[in-house]
Amino acid sequence: MTDEELVVEFALRRLDNPDLELEEVAALVVRRLGPDRMLEFASQNLATRGELRAAVFPSAVEHVLRVVLTLRGRSD
């Protein structure tokens, strides 16, 4: 899944759930995309952070947030 596809998925979940915090929306995305994507996101997050181990679900959620916030840019 490309970063752009991930952002679109995030935006769709955000539109459906406007009252949720960004981390909660990211968790919805991870749950919706399933265990294979969760592992993919977690491994990408751990590689970015230079770590070898972490809990899979929170790490996957962190990756989704990192991608969304990075592509969103600065909020000056």
Side-chain angles (χ1 to χ4, degrees):
M1 173 173 265
T2 67
D3 287 352
E4 291 79 12
E5 291 170 327
L6 182 56
V7 169
V8 168
E9 183 67 34
F10 185 92
L12 292 172
R13 296 295 73 76
R14 180 83 169 153
L15 286 172
D16 290 343
N17 302 281
D19 297 333
L20 294 181
E21 297 290 326
L22 294 179
E23 188 171 348
E24 294 170 313
V25 176
L28 288 175
V29 169
V30 171
R31 283 189 189 102
R32 184 180 182 288
L33 294 177
D36 291 339
R37 292 285 187 210
M38 180 173 52
L39 288 174
E40 175 187 334
F41 295 158
S43 66
Q44 288 174 354
N45 188 51
L46 293 176
T48 299
R49 290 173 44 183
E51 296 181 13
L52 295 176
R53 301 178 76 173
V56 175
F57 185 79
S59 187
V61 170
E62 185 179 325
H63 173 73
V64 171
L65 281 175
R66 178 177 283 122
V67 168
V68 168
L69 295 175
T70 299
L71 291 180
R72 188 168 121 179
R74 294 171 42 109
S75 61
D76 292 332

